Amino acid sequence: MLNSMLFLVFVAVAVYAQNLTGFALALVLLGLTGAAGILPLPDVVNAVSIIAVVNAAVFLYRRRALRLDRKLWPLLIASMLGTMLGIAALAWIMGNAYELLRLLLGLSIIYCAWMLGRSNQPRAAESAPGAFLAVGFLSGLMNGLFAAGGPPLVFLLYRQPWDLARTRESLMFLNGAAGLIRFAVMMPTIGFTGLSFELTIMAVPIVLLVTILTARRPPPFSPVVLRLLVRTLLAATGIIMSVSSMSVLQMT
């Protein structure tokens, strides 16, 4: 009972962070749950996919953000292809090779956070369509391999000459779509455990409540502080992934 209540508190914190930044749901929820050691992480990962879809749908509906930028659709198609390739590759990559890839990915995310910090001002013009396609494919590949497709999207979209509302809504849409794609591809292969289903049912009311209360509220931080929070979360993602991979590699 105590573990269930603690999980729901973690869900509320993660959803609020997601609504602020557009991408932090999996990082915060998996990080808190893993640190507390209250539930098996594979089951929580499965639940996160559905939680992300519900969160994105309610968030976008509440904000009436239903006309999204046309550049996001090619990015989404490239992400779908990358996700399918990543999941297929996951069956071939085993043991140390997988952990080495996770280590390289973690270091790359840390580098992205550093680069985002160096470029405090957005680009003067939008990135070329090819950049959106490339980032979409890379994000999908990371989504399929590691269930961590957010960092490339964050690096690209937070550098566009867009206001923060547009950036958050775009990220929310893309991360919700990524969760749905991963769930659709993984369901016929590894399935959805009973505990994953139970966690999802428990979490959905909390997701609805927090999103309804916060989706239309402006962030309580200035844009500068919000960008700092985004960079901090990115760096935390990379550090956690790198440290965990090095720990596994040292044990083998």
Side-chain angles (χ1 to χ4, degrees):
M1 182 65 179
L2 180 60
N3 286 352
S4 298
M5 295 299 295
L6 195 55
F7 173 70
L8 293 180
V9 171
F10 292 163
V11 169
V13 173
V15 170
Y16 182 64
Q18 173 88 346
N19 292 345
L20 280 180
T21 64
F23 78 99
L25 176 61
L27 166 64
V28 174
L29 184 53
L30 295 177
L32 291 174
T33 305
I38 57 174
L39 292 165
L41 282 183
D43 296 290
V44 181
V45 169
N46 284 341
V48 164
S49 297
I50 304 303
I51 291 171
V53 173
V54 174
N55 173 229
V58 176
F59 182 91
L60 295 173
Y61 174 76
R62 288 284 293 171
R63 293 173 68 90
R64 300 299 191 267
L66 303 179
R67 293 185 178 179
L68 296 167
D69 196 292
R70 287 182 296 177
K71 283 191 174 182
L72 298 183
W73 294 106
L75 189 155
L76 182 59
I77 293 171
S79 177
M80 291 175 61
L81 296 174
T83 298
M84 289 187 286
L85 180 61
I87 291 175
L90 190 59
W92 292 89
I93 300 173
M94 302 296 291
N96 288 348
Y98 179 77
E99 292 302 331
L100 183 59
L101 279 178
R102 287 187 74 231
L103 174 59
L104 293 175
L105 173 62
L107 295 175
S108 299
I109 294 171
I110 295 171
Y111 177 73
C112 285
W114 179 68
M115 287 296 294
L116 197 60
R118 290 192 63 190
S119 55
N120 285 321
Q121 297 299 322
R123 293 169 55 93
E126 289 186 352
S127 298
F132 281 81
L133 284 171
V135 167
F137 182 77
L138 177 61
S139 173
L141 193 63
M142 290 169 57
N143 186 42
L145 279 169
F146 311 108
L153 300 176
V154 173
F155 182 70
L156 177 70
L157 297 190
Y158 267 95
R159 297 184 68 222
Q160 301 307 307
W162 300 351
D163 59 55
L164 283 175
R166 181 181 176 188
T167 301
R168 289 165 63 207
E169 289 162 5
S170 298
L171 281 170
M172 188 69 74
F173 169 74
L174 292 170
N175 281 303
L180 185 61
I181 293 166
R182 196 172 200 277
F183 175 76
V185 176
M186 295 292 282
M187 188 66 178
T189 55
I190 66 171
F192 204 69
T193 66
L195 180 56
S196 298
F197 181 75
E198 181 182 339
L199 294 175
T200 303
I201 295 299
M202 289 169 49
V204 164
I206 302 298
V207 175
L208 293 174
L209 178 62
V210 174
T211 307
I212 288 170
L213 290 176
T214 62
R216 300 184 69 177
R217 293 178 181 272
F221 311 115
S222 68
V224 173
V225 174
L226 189 59
R227 285 175 64 87
L228 176 61
L229 177 61
V230 167
R231 297 199 304 270
T232 302
L233 289 171
L234 271 182
T237 304
I239 291 170
I240 291 170
M241 189 172 290
S242 300
V243 170
S244 65
S245 296
M246 285 190 291
S247 299
V248 173
L249 288 171
Q250 287 174 355
M251 292 172 60
T252 57

